[in-house]
Amino acid sequence: MAFPQRFLDELIDRSDIVDVVSSYVSLTKKGSSYFGLCPFHNEKTGSFSVAPDKQIYYCFGCHHGGGVLQFVMEIENLSFPDAVRFLARRVNMDVPEDNTDREESRRRQRVLALNKDAARWFYQNLSRPEGAAAAAYLEQRRITRKTAMNFGLGASLEGWDSLLRAMQDKGYTKADLLAAGLVVQNKQGRLYDKFRNRLMFPVIDVRGDVVAFGGRVLDKSEPKYMNTTETIVYSKRRNLYGINLAKKTKRANFILCEGNIDVITLHQAGFDNAVASMGTALTMEQTKILSRYTKELVLCYDNDAAGQLATRKNIDLLKDSEFTVRVLQLPRRLADGEYVKQDVDDFIKFQGPAAFEAVLSGSANQMDYRMAAVAAGYDLSDPEQKIAYGGEISQLIASLSNAVEREVYAGRAAETAGISRDAMLLEVERARGKRRGRERRELQRENLNTAALRQPKDRSIRYTDLRSAMAEEGVIRLLLLDGTLADKCRELDPERFSSPFLGRIYRLLLEAREEGRTLTAASLSGCCTPEEMGHLTGVLQRPETAAHADRALADYIQVIQQSAERRREDPETDPLRAAVEKFREDKKKKGNGGKQA
């Protein structure tokens, strides 16, 4: 919706960006800005900055940036209107609404209310004769009624429309049930329950809202597991099973499990820090949620091939994050003379909570796990495989930034392979040298493609005239630095801008000046896409001084006017772009050994 601009200006004025961001990110003041670890990508060295004077944030690593509204939109995964409401509640402001916006809010609240009533109905079915199969399954898995109540477990019935009729009796419409993903419509238009004859697992978010359901079959039908599809209130990438309970834990870490039953079993056994991703693959959005509550993750997946693959993928995702990552590998269980795999539920059932606590305390860090996985792939009694092992493990150790760690792990690898420690250290340093060379070349390419060209990734806002665009950026920086400079831009029409995006921002700045408003970078969130806002914030990070602002503004305007005339006379010519392209071509030829056609 279109909120009144004066309302947005007041909301942004009341919402100090340092105060808002610091509730999600640990910030340290350095000079006039604040720095911390970026919440939008994994990193160990803080490249995320907050400038209180400009009321903007910017990450020099992933290039996310914007004002306080943009930050709330990204961190909470909210639309612009919902981000406005979120901030308004935070500062106790009333939000002017329109009918369209009220309708969207009503639909969301309706689905959440329906999910809550459906969860209650599923839970009540456990005590009814029709839910006996689900109750028996819980008893078989040794899940107590108290635990079932804590997690809101329930039973869907065997009939085709049991839930549909029960919810209609409560006043919900067929459209409500379709929007919540609780019913399915066939080709003939008939509606029927999505979940039938299943043990039901409500998915509850960090706010305590029931946003979705998972269902495990109780007979031989397929699929074995079924989950709610994406809805207006649910995205599986942004939710974790059990997070509503685990966020209250007093333990220092979180245990990341493979399935719902594993989480429930661990909580019942006293490990109330267990959660599960909605599927084995952890997502970046889920790591953002986890980072609010812990800085240490213990990966606890099944010890079969699928579980080990999931472990390796998640280690790769988390390797450059702020998390300390450990891996808990469950020992195999002896059954009928053979050692068989077991999951968390099996282990707790056969070994007990104390044994799990002991394994948890001794869980390996991610480097130990990765080294063991590499060693398992080679027959180290074979000289050729021993050499191959040395090559692979040295590359892994070379990725460590700490010299002491490299020496320690090189010694362990040497002992595993039965070779000298000095030989292994030499291989590690060779691998490290090659790695530094690759990183140097990648940095050069990045500098060429970003710093030299200053090009946004979004093609809709890419520059076609670099010389003019750089001057256009300068005008915008100066106007945001001092709004009164807009009075000196009367001869510069926005149509003269080569970049439609920068021209639009320039027009907004002029309009704000005419209306007597002070337009800040933070207040542009409602006028820009996330990509545009990130690019604009990057533009504002470049230095601009008020000392000689009049002269700089005149120079920028002259460049823009001259470039516009040049484009009118010869639209194909851009001297700066031609120079950069020649530079890139020369670099490419050198990279091919100086060979020329």
Side-chain angles (χ1 to χ4, degrees):
M1 68 170 288
F3 295 101
Q5 189 60 50
R6 292 192 182 277
F7 162 75
L8 290 176
D9 291 344
E10 183 181 353
L11 176 63
I12 291 166
D13 285 342
R14 288 198 198 181
S15 305
D16 180 67
I17 193 166
V18 175
D19 183 41
V20 173
V21 172
S22 61
S23 63
Y24 300 90
V25 180
S26 178
L27 296 174
T28 302
K29 190 172 184 181
K30 295 180 182 178
S32 62
S33 295
Y34 292 79
F35 287 85
L37 294 172
C38 180
F40 305 118
H41 81 289
N42 291 327
E43 62 176 5
K44 289 185 177 179
T45 303
S47 59
F48 180 83
S49 68
V50 180
D53 55 338
K54 299 176 182 175
Q55 286 292 298
I56 59 173
Y57 70 94
Y58 186 71
C59 177
F60 293 92
C62 67
H63 308 297
H64 280 235
V68 66
L69 278 167
Q70 183 69 32
F71 179 82
V72 170
M73 288 167 65
E74 294 207 55
I75 199 74
E76 291 285 350
N77 184 39
L78 298 175
S79 65
F80 178 73
D82 284 340
V84 169
R85 292 190 201 92
F86 182 96
L87 276 181
R89 285 194 300 271
R90 200 173 188 275
V91 296
N92 296 316
M93 285 182 66
D94 293 328
V95 181
E97 302 275 5
D98 69 7
N99 291 334
T100 302
D101 199 57
R102 277 198 295 269
E103 177 60 24
E104 181 181 349
S105 178
R106 188 202 67 80
R107 285 199 303 270
R108 288 180 60 87
Q109 293 306 313
R110 187 74 170 167
V111 169
L112 290 174
L114 170 55
N115 282 344
K116 187 175 182 179
D117 282 336
R120 285 174 176 163
W121 186 78
F122 289 137
Y123 176 73
Q124 290 165 358
N125 287 339
L126 283 178
S127 302
R128 295 169 178 160
E130 301 97 315
Y137 181 83
L138 291 178
E139 186 175 350
Q140 175 195 337
R141 300 301 292 258
R142 303 182 189 177
I143 296 172
T144 67
R145 180 51 66 99
K146 180 181 178 182
T147 300
M149 182 175 66
N150 286 343
F151 281 89
L153 304 184
S156 58
L157 304 185
E158 201 165 359
W160 283 92
D161 59 357
S162 301
L163 175 70
L164 173 63
R165 287 186 287 104
M167 293 301 104
Q168 283 183 317
D169 289 344
K170 286 184 172 291
Y172 294 103
T173 66
K174 293 179 179 179
D176 293 333
L177 286 149
L178 280 168
L182 287 169
V183 298
V184 179
Q185 189 170 33
N186 63 17
K187 292 180 180 179
Q188 288 73 40
R190 180 192 169 202
L191 298 182
Y192 58 91
D193 292 352
K194 179 181 176 72
F195 300 100
R196 302 183 307 280
N197 195 28
R198 290 177 180 268
L199 176 66
M200 298 300 296
F201 304 85
V203 178
I204 304 173
D205 67 9
V206 293
R207 299 179 182 89
D209 290 324
V210 179
V211 294
F213 294 91
R216 188 197 188 282
V217 75
L218 294 170
D219 52 26
K220 301 295 183 181
S221 59
E222 293 291 338
K224 186 175 181 181
Y225 292 97
M226 182 182 287
N227 300 300
T228 301
T229 53
E230 304 270 314
T231 71
I232 191 173
V233 299
Y234 173 67
S235 167
K236 72 176 183 178
R237 296 182 60 83
R238 296 180 172 88
N239 285 277
L240 291 149
Y241 185 74
I243 189 66
N244 60 308
L245 299 175
K247 70 178 185 177
K248 304 170 187 174
T249 186
K250 302 298 183 187
R251 289 177 177 262
N253 53 32
F254 270 34
I255 303 171
L256 192 61
C257 302
E258 192 163 324
N260 299 357
I261 290 290
D262 289 343
V263 171
I264 293 168
T265 300
L266 283 173
H267 276 255
Q268 182 171 278
F271 302 93
D272 62 349
N273 55 335
V275 296
S277 52
M278 312 304 290
T280 55
L282 190 65
T283 68
M284 193 68 74
E285 292 86 350
Q286 289 164 345
T287 65
K288 294 174 193 174
I289 297 172
L290 290 167
S291 68
R292 300 178 197 172
Y293 307 106
T294 185
K295 296 304 176 187
E296 181 178 309
L297 295 177
V298 180
L299 306 184
C300 182
Y301 292 103
D302 294 352
N303 53 16
D304 57 8
Q308 297 307 302
L309 177 61
T311 299
R312 289 194 296 273
K313 285 183 176 179
N314 289 342
I315 284 176
D316 286 340
L317 176 69
L318 296 164
K319 65 183 178 181
D320 294 322
S321 72
E322 74 271 34
F323 291 104
T324 298
V325 181
R326 294 194 286 128
V327 180
L328 190 154
Q329 288 189 287
L330 296 171
R332 291 175 177 265
R333 178 170 58 86
L334 186 64
D336 299 327
E338 294 185 3
Y339 284 94
V340 297
K341 73 178 184 67
Q342 57 183 336
D343 56 21
V344 170
D345 186 55
D346 290 332
F347 190 89
I348 295 290
K349 188 185 299 180
F350 290 105
Q351 307 296 326
F356 186 84
E357 186 76 71
V359 176
L360 178 63
S361 300
S363 55
N365 66 41
Q366 60 173 313
M367 193 62 184
D368 289 331
Y369 174 83
R370 295 175 76 183
M371 287 182 65
V374 172
Y378 294 93
D379 176 5
L380 297 178
S381 63
D382 183 319
E384 288 188 2
Q385 292 209 32
K386 186 179 292 189
I387 293 169
Y389 165 78
E392 182 174 352
I393 202 69
S394 63
Q395 290 182 37
L396 176 60
I397 297 170
S399 67
L400 297 170
S401 58
N402 186 286
V404 175
E405 284 186 318
R406 291 198 299 274
E407 187 163 341
V408 168
Y409 286 112
R412 291 187 189 178
E415 186 177 346
T416 299
I419 61 177
S420 76
R421 180 170 167 277
D422 289 343
M424 181 58 72
L425 278 170
L426 181 61
E427 283 301 305
V428 169
E429 288 309 308
R430 282 178 181 168
R432 189 163 171 76
K434 292 178 181 177
R435 185 184 183 87
R436 283 197 298 267
R438 286 196 302 272
E439 289 173 350
R440 203 161 41 241
R441 289 191 295 273
E442 287 172 4
L443 181 60
Q444 288 172 348
R445 283 195 295 270
E446 183 180 343
N447 287 340
L448 180 64
N449 292 329
T450 58
L453 289 177
R454 295 188 179 182
Q455 285 285 50
K457 292 181 180 179
D458 189 336
R459 290 185 179 275
S460 67
I461 52 176
R462 281 196 173 181
Y463 300 156
T464 56
D465 186 330
L466 294 176
R467 183 169 181 266
S468 182
M470 290 177 192
E472 292 157 22
E473 288 181 356
V475 169
I476 288 170
R477 280 195 299 271
L478 286 172
L479 294 187
L480 285 170
L481 188 67
D482 180 359
T484 63
L485 291 172
D487 297 335
K488 301 180 182 295
C489 296
R490 300 186 186 283
E491 301 302 319
L492 180 60
D493 192 293
E495 298 299 325
R496 307 288 276 178
F497 276 48
S498 65
S499 164
F501 166 62
L502 295 178
R504 176 159 57 87
I505 299 301
Y506 172 67
R507 190 187 299 276
L508 289 170
L509 292 171
L510 295 184
E511 290 172 356
R513 176 65 178 169
E514 289 173 2
E515 295 170 9
R517 295 185 292 107
T518 301
L519 187 62
T520 64
S523 64
L524 289 166
S525 293
C527 314
C528 299
T529 66
E531 292 79 9
E532 289 173 342
M533 200 64 206
H535 176 61
L536 179 61
T537 312
V539 167
L540 299 179
Q541 293 297 317
R542 294 168 197 140
E544 201 72 61
T545 177
H548 304 287
D550 288 357
R551 181 66 261 171
L553 182 64
D555 289 343
Y556 287 145
I557 291 174
Q558 183 179 13
V559 169
I560 294 168
Q561 300 282 30
Q562 289 175 348
S563 297
E565 285 301 316
R566 190 198 68 242
R567 289 195 306 275
R568 187 176 63 81
E569 295 170 2
D570 186 357
E572 301 299 321
T573 303
D574 180 355
L576 183 55
R577 177 175 290 279
V580 172
E581 291 298 332
K582 185 177 186 305
F583 172 74
R584 295 183 68 181
E585 186 62 30
D586 290 344
K587 292 283 289 184
K588 185 177 179 181
K589 288 177 180 177
K590 288 180 181 178
N592 292 331
K595 295 178 182 178
Q596 298 189 26

